[in-house]
Amino acid sequence: MGQIRLDKLLADAGYGTRSQVRQLVRKKQVTVNGEPAKGAEQKIDVDEDQVQCMGRPVFYAEYEYYMLNKPAGVVSAVTDSRDKTVVELIEERQRRDLFPVGRLDKDTEGLLLITNDGILANRLLAPGRHVDKTYYAEVDGPVTQMDVRLFAEGLDIGEEKRTLPARLVIEESGRELSKVWLTITEGKFHQVKRMFQAVGRRVLFLKRLSMGTLTLDPELKPGEYRKLTDPELLELKRQGR
């Protein structure tokens, strides 16, 4: 990785702003290889030097990647004045610049990638990429084979262009409730809900199960998260090329 300024290392690791971590250095709260830091501008070899802040080891991570099973009631944002955010759920994060890749509505559950890798995020979210996103949904009333055909043809959801073809699979269709799987390749605002609204149905429950090559770990309960495995990250980066 090479060398990095001490104040940047500490700020990126979540110990405060540049000015705040400089205060920690001045107060002798930071050591490098067992000795008090010489100054906030001191260059640190992140592969060799051992840094501690207030007695705790400081580890540098250039990028972090987390799979989150987003619970309902939490917003897909970095900060929010009223509600808890998905980034706040990642308690063990080392980076302070994490953000969600894309958005899930406040009442929607499921897979969300949390990272600070802006290049990968832009590639996955680019409109021309058409990355598959699969959802499980429960809707009021019956869903029919006619709906399957309409979704495959593209729907008018009140925008200039119709939605791109989507794959709708009916698991169970009932008079009061239907259970379906839906795969779309876009990320329009409230898209899944608006698509069902276009065929006279209302979404009662929505959960994202996959995005591209990344599939939600069934072991993760709502609100739980884990770091991506090396194979998961490799496949995701391949897709984002």
Side-chain angles (χ1 to χ4, degrees):
M1 175 61 199
Q3 294 188 332
I4 185 174
R5 280 178 56 122
L6 178 58
D7 53 358
K8 176 172 172 53
L9 169 65
L10 293 170
D12 287 347
Y15 285 91
T17 64
R18 289 284 187 101
S19 61
Q20 288 171 334
V21 299
R22 290 188 192 111
Q23 289 282 353
L24 292 173
V25 173
R26 281 195 287 269
K27 292 177 180 179
K28 306 298 184 183
Q29 295 292 307
V30 183
T31 62
V32 180
N33 299 323
E35 299 292 333
K38 298 174 182 178
E41 73 284 350
Q42 182 175 348
K43 292 297 180 68
I44 301 299
D45 186 325
V46 296
D47 297 317
E48 299 291 337
D49 293 328
Q50 296 181 352
V51 178
Q52 289 194 338
C53 184
M54 296 179 288
R56 297 195 299 270
V58 179
F59 302 101
Y60 183 73
E62 184 176 11
Y63 295 113
E64 290 189 286
Y65 306 88
Y66 294 95
M67 174 191 296
L68 170 70
N69 185 354
K70 178 192 171 299
V74 178
V75 296
S76 298
V78 175
T79 60
D80 191 272
S81 59
R82 293 180 299 177
D83 299 303
K84 192 165 189 176
T85 71
V86 291
V87 172
E88 292 178 278
L89 296 176
I90 313 298
E91 296 179 349
E92 65 183 58
R93 65 188 185 273
Q94 296 181 43
R95 302 285 309 199
R96 63 183 178 88
D97 53 355
L98 297 182
F99 58 87
V101 179
R103 298 177 63 86
L104 291 178
D105 296 341
K106 183 177 177 180
D107 59 351
T108 299
E109 299 183 8
L111 175 67
L112 197 58
L113 173 63
I114 310 291
T115 185
N116 63 315
D117 189 339
I119 294 176
L120 176 62
N122 288 334
R123 288 174 177 170
L124 292 174
L125 297 175
R129 290 279 178 175
H130 302 316
V131 175
D132 285 354
K133 304 169 199 58
T134 298
Y135 296 80
Y136 166 77
E138 295 179 358
V139 301
D140 66 335
V143 177
T144 68
Q145 289 302 316
M146 174 60 75
D147 296 324
V148 172
R149 290 192 292 272
L150 291 173
F151 273 68
E153 293 171 0
L155 293 165
D156 180 358
I157 60 172
E159 299 195 356
E160 183 179 348
K161 294 182 179 180
R162 301 173 75 88
T163 61
L164 292 176
R167 183 169 180 261
L168 178 63
V169 177
I170 302 172
E171 177 183 311
E172 179 183 318
S173 180
R175 292 181 58 186
E176 303 294 332
L177 179 73
S178 293
K179 300 177 180 180
V180 300
W181 308 81
L182 176 65
T183 299
I184 62 176
T185 59
E186 302 168 285
K188 297 180 184 296
F189 184 67
H190 293 325
Q191 180 168 343
V192 174
K193 294 175 181 177
R194 292 163 70 193
M195 291 177 77
F196 279 104
Q197 186 178 24
V199 295
R201 301 269 71 86
R202 182 168 60 92
V203 173
L204 305 175
F205 175 79
L206 186 61
K207 180 176 183 177
R208 183 159 69 187
L209 303 176
S210 67
M211 180 177 68
T213 60
L214 192 61
T215 300
L216 181 63
D217 187 335
E219 297 297 319
L220 291 179
K221 298 176 182 177
E224 293 184 341
Y225 62 91
R226 65 164 172 79
K227 290 184 177 180
L228 294 195
T229 65
D230 289 340
E232 286 171 339
L233 183 55
L234 180 62
E235 287 300 315
L236 207 57
K237 287 187 173 181
R238 282 176 177 169
Q239 180 162 2
R241 286 176 182 170

